[in-house]
Amino acid sequence: MHIGIVSLFPAMLGEALAHGVLGRAMTQGVFEVDVVDPREFATDVHRTVDDRPYGGGPGMVLKVEPLRSALRRAVHRAPAGSRRVYLGADGRRFDQDTARAASALPGLVLVAGRYEGVDERFVEREIDEVWSIGDYVLTGGELPALVVIDAIVRLLPGALGCSESAEQESFANGLLDWPHYTRPAVVDGDAVPEVLQSGDHEAIRRWRLREALGRTWLRRPELLERRGMSAEERGLLEEFKVERAARTRPDR
Ligand code: 4G0
C-alpha cells in the first residue's frame, strides 16, 4: 500500500514509522511512505504557508496554494484509486471499520493540518474525506496521521507475524479484549486464573469470551448495544454479572 502524507513537519513522520511492526512492514515492502512538505511549494521569500483568518479572530489558517501544490505532487506519485483524506478535529470519527475499509485501498494520501485548520476551499475541492481520531484538539494532524497509518498498516497482509493475528483481538469482534497473563503464575500472592492453566480449550474460550463481554459491558456499554449478543453470550454476561456482584458485595 502507498501512503502519501502532506505535512509541514516531515521529520515527525518518517522516524516514527521506522520501529517495531511498522518498521518491519516498511522494509518488507508491505507499505511505502512518501512525505511532501507544502513549504517547498511556497513561492515568496519567507516561504509563507499560512495567513490570518478572514473575519478576524485568533490563530492562523493554512493557505490554499502551497497545500494544493503539495497534495497534487503526492497524488501524482500515488496509485490510481487512492483516497485523499484530511485529518481534522472536525472530521468523521476514525474507527476499526474505517481502518479495515482503508486497508483494501491501493493508496491513501493524508493531509495533516495545523493551527486552526486550512482554508475551507482546499477541503471542498481537493479532499475526499475528513477523519478525526477522537474528540480532542491537537496542535496538528501529524499524530492523527501516524495513528491512522498504524491502525491500517497492521491489517495489511504480511504486516503481522503469525503469532500476532489481527483476527482474534479487541474490536475485530466488536468487543474489548479479555485479560492476558504470562509467567510467573503468582505475583505477590496474586495468581493467574486457574482455567488458563487447565489446558481445557473450550473452558478457556468461554472464560475469555465472558471476560471480554464483562469488560465491554462495564467500560463501553454502547459497543454492546450496537453489536448485540448471541444466546451463549447473553448467558456468559449474566454469569459475569453474578460473579461480580458476589465479589464486590460480600455477604452482609
Ligand atoms: C483541522 C486532528 C485541523 C481543524 C487535527 C484542528 C485533532 C485532530 C486541526 C482543527 C487536530 C483529531 C477544528 C481545531 C489540527 N487536532 N482529533 N489539529 N480544529 O483527529
Side-chain angles (χ1 to χ4, degrees):
M1 182 173 191
H2 178 97
I3 301 181
I5 315 174
V6 173
S7 164
L8 287 164
F9 297 94
M12 282 184 73
L13 301 161
E15 171 66 13
L17 297 168
H19 305 272
V21 169
L22 298 186
R24 187 183 63 201
M26 177 125 57
T27 56
Q28 289 185 345
V30 170
F31 77 114
E32 60 185 12
V33 168
D34 171 39
V35 186
V36 182
D37 182 351
R39 210 171 284 280
E40 289 180 28
F41 299 87
T43 48
D44 64 312
V45 282
H46 299 108
R47 314 241 96 183
T48 307
V49 293
D50 60 347
D51 206 339
R52 291 165 302 152
Y54 273 111
M60 298 292 270
V61 175
L62 289 176
K63 294 162 68 63
V64 170
E65 297 99 318
L67 264 184
R68 183 172 54 192
S69 301
L71 179 67
R72 288 185 176 166
R73 169 73 56 81
V75 167
H76 184 72
R77 301 204 288 228
S82 299
R83 305 278 295 166
R84 307 153 175 227
V85 174
Y86 177 62
L87 284 320
D90 48 1
R92 192 172 58 79
R93 176 68 59 84
F94 174 84
D95 62 12
Q96 192 66 30
D97 292 337
T98 322
R100 204 171 292 120
S103 71
L105 295 171
L108 206 56
V109 179
L110 301 171
V111 179
R114 279 268 146 184
Y115 317 115
E116 316 326 303
V118 305
D119 189 307
E120 188 62 23
R121 293 166 294 184
F122 169 78
V123 179
E124 281 171 0
R125 299 162 67 114
E126 310 287 342
I127 292 296
D128 298 316
E129 296 178 45
V130 185
W131 291 349
S132 164
I133 63 162
D135 290 338
Y136 34 81
V137 177
L138 304 170
T139 56
E142 282 79 10
L143 293 173
L146 290 170
V147 166
V148 312
I149 291 167
D150 191 307
I152 292 165
V153 167
R154 63 185 294 289
L155 298 176
L156 297 175
L160 298 186
C162 41
S163 65
E164 312 155 308
S165 167
E167 297 303 319
Q168 248 204 18
E169 71 206 358
S170 192
F171 293 114
N173 62 0
L175 299 175
L176 301 188
D177 213 354
W178 54 71
H180 299 268
Y181 300 89
T182 189
R183 293 184 294 177
V186 181
V187 173
D188 297 340
D190 196 356
V192 170
E194 195 82 47
V195 61
L196 297 180
Q197 301 173 79
S198 69
D200 181 342
H201 298 299
E202 175 58 14
I204 291 168
R205 182 193 69 81
R206 270 187 279 106
W207 183 87
R208 285 178 168 166
L209 181 53
R210 180 162 60 234
E211 293 297 317
L213 287 161
R215 216 167 239 211
T216 310
W217 172 70
L218 285 171
R219 298 180 185 175
R220 300 290 305 278
E222 79 282 7
L223 292 181
L224 270 190
E225 296 286 316
R226 169 177 159 185
R227 173 184 179 279
M229 282 185 284
S230 69
E232 182 197 33
E233 289 169 347
R234 276 193 297 275
L236 289 172
L237 181 56
E238 273 320 301
E239 285 179 26
F240 180 93
K241 291 179 183 177
V242 168
E243 272 173 32
R244 179 166 179 278
R247 243 184 306 117
T248 54
R249 186 158 28 75
D251 290 337
R252 295 181 313 107

